[in-house]
Amino acid sequence: MEETISLKELFHTLKKRLTLILSVTILAVMISGIVSYFFLTPIYQTSTQILVNQAKDEQSVYSAGEVQTNLQLINTYNVIIKSAAILELVKEDLKLDMTTVALNQKITVQSEQNSQVVNISVQDEDPKRAADIANTTAEVFQKEIVDIMNVNNVTILAKAEVGENQAPVKPQPLLNIAIALVVGFMAGVGLAFLLEYLDNTIKNEEDIEKTIGLPVLGVIAQMDDTAENGSRSDRKTRLRGETVGS
């Protein structure tokens, strides 16, 4: 029985504070949409691919051991690509006005499991600059790895290109609005229950029973102005009649 009453009170509170909940939810959605579309700077992403292999003669045949060695070297190459030795040269070639740390944060190096292909992805506010950074990084790495590790086993498979009407990878306004919708609704519900918990005013006889722990024996009905004015008119009419009769 208590669970039924609690559930009814729960829905009663939600219904009572429905305007507040909807207002908080709509406000959160509006703020998220305005910030996503008008204040956040679009970020574009381009990527290039390089292949790590062994330099061999045309008649040579790859062995499983050599492929495994290449796979183990990829982790080392991933670190070298984002090293200061490579990025400083990239900055000089492109005349970038940023620190090496900032350039490092724009570059992401990934390789698929058991694959000799390495993806170099770059995110930047300018899609063309992102493509230039990706391509230059791959070219500098291909050139410098010969001196760094005394190997010549890097091939550029695909260069980064800027697509026509390329869409930014972030922000994602629709995703942000969906998250704001959920968060705003939860915040509204939480605020509604908080206000209900802090509200200790007595509004009806049920609140009196809960507060003093005693049953209500009677209730004084509230008389509206129309009924009160009507009763006053009746009393005046009766008084006039008595006066005239006397």
Side-chain angles (χ1 to χ4, degrees):
M1 185 65 181
E2 293 181 356
E3 294 181 356
T4 303
I5 295 176
S6 299
L7 189 60
K8 290 174 62 177
E9 292 178 349
L10 172 67
F11 284 107
H12 176 72
T13 301
L14 293 176
K15 182 179 179 180
K16 177 181 176 182
R17 307 283 184 177
L18 182 60
T19 302
L20 173 65
I21 296 173
L22 292 178
S23 299
V24 173
T25 303
I26 294 173
L27 180 62
V29 170
M30 291 179 60
I31 293 176
S32 175
I34 292 173
V35 171
S36 298
Y37 281 106
F38 299 104
F39 290 94
L40 295 181
T41 303
I43 302 297
Y44 299 88
Q45 177 175 303
T46 59
S47 60
T48 183
Q49 291 182 330
I50 60 176
L51 173 65
V52 179
N53 55 16
Q54 291 286 352
K56 302 184 68 68
D57 299 331
E58 294 181 358
Q59 297 178 352
S60 302
V61 179
Y62 284 103
S63 66
E66 292 174 344
V67 173
Q68 188 63 33
T69 301
N70 291 334
L71 294 177
Q72 293 174 357
L73 286 173
I74 285 177
N75 293 330
T76 303
Y77 293 156
N78 292 348
V79 176
I80 296 175
I81 290 173
K82 299 187 65 175
S83 66
I86 301 297
L87 298 186
E88 284 291 345
L89 296 176
V90 174
K91 282 179 51 181
E92 294 178 3
D93 289 350
L94 297 177
K95 296 180 175 57
L96 298 176
D97 185 16
M98 66 179 69
T99 63
T100 305
V101 176
L103 179 58
N104 188 304
Q105 293 175 348
K106 294 178 178 291
I107 301 174
T108 302
V109 182
Q110 294 179 332
S111 56
E112 298 294 336
Q113 186 177 5
N114 297 328
S115 173
Q116 296 176 246
V117 177
V118 177
N119 296 315
I120 301 176
S121 301
V122 178
Q123 293 186 355
D124 192 83
E125 301 172 3
D126 184 354
K128 183 180 183 305
R129 184 168 61 179
D132 292 340
I133 293 175
N135 291 328
T136 305
T137 302
E139 293 170 358
V140 170
F141 172 72
Q142 183 186 34
K143 186 186 304 181
E144 294 300 318
I145 195 64
V146 178
D147 298 328
I148 294 175
M149 297 189 64
N150 196 24
V151 293
N152 185 16
N153 60 346
V154 175
T155 304
I156 298 177
L157 294 180
K159 289 188 175 184
E161 296 181 354
V162 180
E164 185 177 356
N165 298 325
Q166 183 172 344
V169 294
K170 58 184 179 182
Q172 297 178 323
L174 295 181
L175 178 60
N176 293 343
I177 290 174
I179 295 175
L181 177 66
V182 176
V183 174
F185 178 77
M186 294 176 62
V189 172
L191 182 60
F193 282 112
L194 177 62
L195 294 177
E196 190 69 19
Y197 175 77
L198 296 177
D199 186 7
N200 55 3
T201 57
I202 297 176
K203 300 180 179 62
N204 50 44
E205 57 272 16
E206 295 180 356
D207 295 337
I208 297 176
E209 292 182 0
K210 292 180 180 179
T211 303
I212 64 177
L214 297 175
V216 178
L217 299 179
V219 179
I220 299 177
Q222 183 177 2
M223 183 177 295
D224 57 9
D225 295 338
T226 304
E228 185 176 356
N229 293 333
S231 61
R232 288 179 180 176
S233 299
D234 292 341
R235 285 199 299 270
K236 289 181 180 179
T237 302
R238 287 197 299 270
L239 289 173
R240 289 173 183 171
E242 292 175 356
T243 303
V244 173
S246 62

